[in-house]
Amino acid sequence: MVLFLLERVAPVSVDQAWHRLTDWERHAAVVPLTRVTVATPPPTRVGTLFVARSGIGPLAFDDPMEVVAWQPPGAGAPALCRLAKRGGFVTGWAEIEVHPYGDGASRVVWREDLSVRGLPHAFDRPLGAVARRRMFGRAVDGLLRPGPAS
Protein backbone atom coordinates (compact mmCIF):
# COMPACT_ATOMS: atom_id res chain seq x y z
CA MET A 1 0.00 0.00 0.00
CA VAL A 2 1.22 3.46 -0.94
CA LEU A 3 -0.35 6.54 0.62
CA PHE A 4 0.63 9.91 -0.81
CA LEU A 5 -0.55 13.49 -0.98
CA LEU A 6 -0.18 16.13 -3.70
CA GLU A 7 -0.88 19.83 -3.27
CA ARG A 8 -1.06 22.36 -6.06
CA VAL A 9 -2.01 26.02 -6.31
CA ALA A 10 -3.67 26.74 -9.65
CA PRO A 11 -4.35 30.11 -11.31
CA VAL A 12 -7.93 29.04 -12.03
CA SER A 13 -11.11 29.42 -9.98
CA VAL A 14 -12.38 26.72 -7.66
CA ASP A 15 -15.19 25.98 -10.14
CA GLN A 16 -12.74 25.64 -13.05
CA ALA A 17 -10.31 23.47 -11.07
CA TRP A 18 -13.18 21.26 -9.89
CA HIS A 19 -14.53 20.84 -13.40
CA ARG A 20 -11.10 20.02 -14.82
CA LEU A 21 -10.28 17.47 -12.12
CA THR A 22 -13.67 15.71 -12.19
CA ASP A 23 -14.14 15.57 -15.96
CA TRP A 24 -13.17 11.89 -15.97
CA GLU A 25 -12.74 11.50 -19.74
CA ARG A 26 -10.34 14.47 -19.73
CA HIS A 27 -7.88 12.44 -17.62
CA ALA A 28 -7.08 10.37 -20.70
CA ALA A 29 -5.54 13.48 -22.31
CA VAL A 30 -2.92 13.75 -19.55
CA VAL A 31 -2.26 10.09 -18.67
CA PRO A 32 -0.31 8.31 -21.41
CA LEU A 33 -1.73 5.12 -22.90
CA THR A 34 -5.00 5.55 -21.04
CA ARG A 35 -8.62 5.96 -22.03
CA VAL A 36 -11.49 6.60 -19.68
CA THR A 37 -15.05 5.39 -20.12
CA VAL A 38 -17.87 6.60 -17.88
CA ALA A 39 -20.46 3.86 -17.41
CA THR A 40 -23.23 5.93 -15.80
CA PRO A 41 -25.16 8.86 -17.27
CA PRO A 42 -24.23 12.43 -16.30
CA PRO A 43 -24.05 14.38 -14.14
CA THR A 44 -21.37 12.95 -11.86
CA ARG A 45 -22.72 12.11 -8.40
CA VAL A 46 -22.35 9.44 -5.72
CA GLY A 47 -22.60 6.13 -7.57
CA THR A 48 -20.99 7.32 -10.82
CA LEU A 49 -18.86 4.52 -12.24
CA PHE A 50 -15.97 4.87 -14.68
CA VAL A 51 -13.05 2.80 -15.89
CA ALA A 52 -9.54 3.96 -16.77
CA ARG A 53 -7.95 1.42 -19.13
CA SER A 54 -4.17 1.79 -19.25
CA GLY A 55 -1.52 0.00 -21.27
CA ILE A 56 -1.18 -1.64 -24.66
CA GLY A 57 -2.71 -4.89 -25.83
CA PRO A 58 -2.20 -7.79 -23.41
CA LEU A 59 -0.30 -5.50 -21.03
CA ALA A 60 -3.36 -3.30 -20.45
CA PHE A 61 -5.45 -3.34 -17.30
CA ASP A 62 -8.71 -1.79 -16.13
CA ASP A 63 -8.92 0.50 -13.11
CA PRO A 64 -12.67 0.70 -12.32
CA MET A 65 -13.68 3.47 -9.91
CA GLU A 66 -16.83 4.59 -8.15
CA VAL A 67 -17.63 8.05 -6.81
CA VAL A 68 -18.46 7.45 -3.12
CA ALA A 69 -18.51 11.09 -1.94
CA TRP A 70 -19.47 14.11 -4.05
CA GLN A 71 -19.57 17.67 -2.74
CA PRO A 72 -19.22 20.25 -5.55
CA PRO A 73 -17.97 23.76 -4.75
CA GLY A 74 -20.35 25.64 -2.51
CA ALA A 75 -20.57 28.49 -0.08
CA GLY A 76 -17.88 28.19 2.57
CA ALA A 77 -16.98 24.51 2.10
CA PRO A 78 -14.23 23.01 -0.02
CA ALA A 79 -15.22 20.85 -2.94
CA LEU A 80 -14.62 17.15 -2.25
CA CYS A 81 -14.75 13.97 -4.30
CA ARG A 82 -13.78 10.54 -3.02
CA LEU A 83 -13.24 7.63 -5.39
CA ALA A 84 -13.10 3.95 -4.47
CA LYS A 85 -10.98 1.79 -6.76
CA ARG A 86 -13.00 -1.35 -7.46
CA GLY A 87 -10.56 -3.36 -9.56
CA GLY A 88 -8.84 -6.66 -9.09
CA PHE A 89 -5.39 -5.31 -9.96
CA VAL A 90 -5.30 -1.73 -8.63
CA THR A 91 -7.13 -1.07 -5.37
CA GLY A 92 -7.42 1.76 -2.87
CA TRP A 93 -9.04 5.18 -2.97
CA ALA A 94 -8.46 8.78 -4.00
CA GLU A 95 -9.72 12.07 -2.58
CA ILE A 96 -9.75 15.34 -4.45
CA GLU A 97 -10.30 18.57 -2.52
CA VAL A 98 -10.45 22.03 -4.07
CA HIS A 99 -10.19 25.12 -1.85
CA PRO A 100 -10.29 28.84 -2.70
CA TYR A 101 -6.84 30.41 -2.64
CA GLY A 102 -6.29 34.13 -2.85
CA ASP A 103 -7.99 36.18 -5.51
CA GLY A 104 -9.50 33.81 -8.08
CA ALA A 105 -7.05 30.92 -7.61
CA SER A 106 -7.52 27.51 -6.04
CA ARG A 107 -5.58 25.05 -3.92
CA VAL A 108 -5.93 21.38 -4.78
CA VAL A 109 -5.23 18.55 -2.36
CA TRP A 110 -5.14 15.06 -3.89
CA ARG A 111 -4.76 12.09 -1.54
CA GLU A 112 -4.30 8.60 -2.88
CA ASP A 113 -4.08 5.18 -1.26
CA LEU A 114 -2.77 2.90 -4.00
CA SER A 115 -2.21 -0.85 -3.93
CA VAL A 116 -1.18 -3.12 -6.76
CA ARG A 117 -2.09 -6.75 -6.18
CA GLY A 118 0.83 -9.11 -6.26
CA LEU A 119 3.42 -6.35 -5.91
CA PRO A 120 5.73 -7.10 -2.95
CA HIS A 121 5.86 -4.48 -0.18
CA ALA A 122 9.54 -3.90 -1.00
CA PHE A 123 8.28 -1.95 -4.04
CA ASP A 124 5.99 0.38 -2.06
CA ARG A 125 8.52 3.21 -1.76
CA PRO A 126 9.52 3.25 -5.47
CA LEU A 127 5.86 2.90 -6.52
CA GLY A 128 4.95 5.83 -4.28
CA ALA A 129 7.66 8.05 -5.73
CA VAL A 130 6.75 7.22 -9.33
CA ALA A 131 3.01 7.55 -8.68
CA ARG A 132 3.29 10.87 -6.83
CA ARG A 133 5.74 12.61 -9.16
CA ARG A 134 5.39 11.06 -12.57
CA MET A 135 1.88 9.69 -12.82
CA PHE A 136 -0.44 11.71 -10.60
CA GLY A 137 1.69 14.84 -10.26
CA ARG A 138 1.96 15.24 -14.02
CA ALA A 139 -1.71 14.39 -14.51
CA VAL A 140 -2.89 16.98 -11.97
CA ASP A 141 -0.54 19.60 -13.43
CA GLY A 142 -1.87 18.89 -16.93
CA LEU A 143 -5.50 19.01 -15.83
CA LEU A 144 -5.00 22.34 -14.04
CA ARG A 145 -2.92 24.01 -16.75
CA PRO A 146 -4.59 27.28 -17.84
CA GLY A 147 -6.24 27.20 -21.22
CA PRO A 148 -9.44 25.85 -22.66
CA ALA A 149 -11.23 23.63 -20.17
CA SER A 150 -12.63 21.43 -22.97
Side-chain angles (χ1 to χ4, degrees):
M1 175 190 84
V2 174
L3 180 62
F4 63 88
L5 176 136
L6 293 166
E7 289 188 72
R8 299 291 192 267
V9 173
V12 297
S13 71
V14 169
D15 287 337
Q16 288 174 320
W18 176 254
H19 174 73
R20 290 163 184 256
L21 293 167
T22 62
D23 179 352
W24 309 121
E25 290 99 341
R26 195 167 191 262
H27 285 236
V30 296
V31 179
L33 304 175
T34 298
R35 69 186 147 114
V36 177
T37 305
V38 178
T40 49
T44 297
R45 62 194 172 285
V46 170
T48 293
L49 301 169
F50 62 97
V51 177
R53 181 160 181 80
S54 299
I56 299 174
L59 300 178
F61 66 93
D62 288 338
D63 185 5
M65 291 171 254
E66 179 180 359
V67 175
V68 295
W70 183 255
Q71 179 181 308
L80 171 71
C81 176
R82 184 176 173 101
L83 305 171
K85 295 180 173 282
R86 302 288 193 208
F89 183 60
V90 177
T91 62
W93 53 264
E95 281 184 348
I96 304 164
E97 288 181 19
V98 183
H99 303 261
Y101 188 84
D103 189 24
S106 56
R107 181 175 67 91
V108 172
V109 179
W110 184 300
R111 291 178 193 86
E112 184 100 15
D113 175 338
L114 179 66
S115 294
V116 178
R117 291 193 199 235
L119 189 67
H121 290 293
F123 291 95
D124 284 355
R125 181 174 249 164
L127 174 62
V130 168
R132 186 177 62 254
R133 290 185 198 117
R134 300 226 178 229
M135 291 170 43
F136 293 94
R138 285 184 181 178
V140 169
D141 291 344
L143 291 166
L144 293 173
R145 191 168 292 120
S150 53

